[in-house]
Amino acid sequence: MTSSVKAIVFDTFGTVVDWRGSIIRDLTDWGAAEDLQIDWAGLVDRWRDRYNPQKARVRSGELPWTNLDELHFDALKAVFAEMELAELDHDRMMHVNRVWHRLDGWPDASRGLHRLKSKFIIGPLSNANVAILVNMAKHADLPWDNVFSCELFQHYKPDPETYLGVCKLLYLEPGAVMMCAAHNYDLAAARSLGLKTAFIARPTEYGEGQTTDLTAEQRWDYVADDLEDLARQLGC
């Protein structure tokens, strides 16, 4: 099977980077330096809770195409109001919002991707906009060949235009592209369109009490412990 796969694309938030842990660490340190008394763990969980509903508003047509930085900023202001926090000045609010550009990879991420890159075309297929993905790659040493942001397709996953958009840009049939994700829904959408699939479990993506995506829920083409394990299974 691996001989037919030419490219691997990766969900990024949760699969490649530890978004929750990164944000809590980053903003806790910054907030202490700024003398801000904010429950950053509580804030990030509320912030992320608005992620899917915000995307759904775009996918349904309620909102015109809006990139993730802009959706995040609207959600951040709503969370500040919900938590009865006074908004910070513009520069500091933007610093908080841009924390998504500064996310750290899981410990295996950079090493695993460097190994996979030796044999395959690799890139993120992510709901994040181009600026987030490019800055994150620099920050976390993610050696992408290209950035397949959903911003390029003006559709959010799991819309078919995202997965098939990668195939079109690379001039590859769906069966020559593999989707790697820690989320079963993402892989199900990709498989339904003919892409190959690889599942990576990230059981602490949402913290210690995570209850979803703890295991592979279908017989995906590959199931790996982490990205280095996937590289080993694919002969990299």
Side-chain angles (χ1 to χ4, degrees):
M1 179 191 302
T2 57
S3 62
S4 66
V5 173
K6 306 300 182 186
I8 307 175
V9 290
F10 299 81
D11 169 72
T12 306
F13 296 139
T15 303
V16 177
V17 298
D18 174 16
W19 59 267
R20 185 177 186 273
S22 299
I23 293 174
I24 293 171
R25 289 189 298 271
D26 183 301
L27 295 181
T28 296
D29 291 346
W30 176 76
E34 295 286 317
D35 197 26
L36 296 172
Q37 305 302 313
I38 292 176
D39 172 13
W40 295 111
L43 182 142
V44 70
D45 288 337
R46 289 173 186 248
W47 200 4
R48 185 65 172 187
D49 282 347
R50 293 176 179 268
Y51 178 69
N52 285 326
Q54 287 279 74
K55 287 187 302 170
R57 295 177 67 200
V58 176
R59 294 181 64 236
S60 70
E62 179 186 344
L63 289 178
W65 172 257
T66 307
N67 75 27
L68 200 59
D69 262 330
E70 294 168 347
L71 293 180
H72 276 160
F73 195 56
D74 285 345
L76 177 64
K77 290 186 289 185
V79 168
F80 263 70
E82 184 179 293
M83 295 177 68
E84 299 183 344
L85 298 170
E87 280 194 25
L88 308 175
D89 62 76
H90 179 74
D91 287 348
R92 291 197 293 174
M93 287 294 286
M94 290 303 297
H95 178 82
V96 174
N97 197 57
R98 287 177 62 85
V99 72
W100 296 91
H101 295 234
R102 306 188 296 271
L103 303 182
D104 300 325
W106 294 105
D108 57 279
S110 181
R111 293 191 300 270
L113 291 175
H114 276 279
R115 289 173 61 179
L116 289 162
K117 182 183 173 77
S118 69
K119 186 172 181 179
F120 302 97
I121 298 165
I122 64 168
L125 176 54
S126 172
N127 290 317
N129 46 291
V130 171
I132 291 176
L133 292 171
V134 169
N135 291 328
M136 190 194 309
K138 285 290 189 184
H139 175 80
D141 188 26
L142 309 177
W144 305 127
D145 290 305
N146 193 34
V147 168
F148 300 103
S149 165
C150 288
E151 185 176 31
L152 301 176
F153 314 118
Q154 299 209 343
H155 283 269
Y156 284 118
K157 294 187 297 179
D159 287 357
E161 290 86 351
T162 59
Y163 309 98
L164 296 179
V166 169
C167 303
K168 182 178 180 180
L169 287 175
L170 292 178
Y171 281 78
L172 292 173
E173 293 299 318
V177 179
M178 182 182 291
M179 181 75 212
C180 176
H183 310 120
N184 286 278
Y185 88 89
D186 204 353
L187 297 182
R191 172 179 276 178
S192 73
L193 298 167
L195 281 72
K196 299 294 192 298
T197 53
F199 178 80
I200 306 285
R202 298 297 192 190
T204 60
E205 175 187 355
Y206 288 90
E208 296 300 326
Q210 183 169 321
T211 59
T212 59
D213 290 316
L214 299 177
T215 59
E217 296 173 2
Q218 297 186 37
R219 292 178 62 87
W220 307 120
D221 296 303
Y222 292 89
V223 176
D225 294 333
D226 58 28
L227 290 173
E228 290 195 276
D229 182 37
L230 180 63
R232 180 189 60 77
Q233 291 188 41
L234 294 174
C236 301

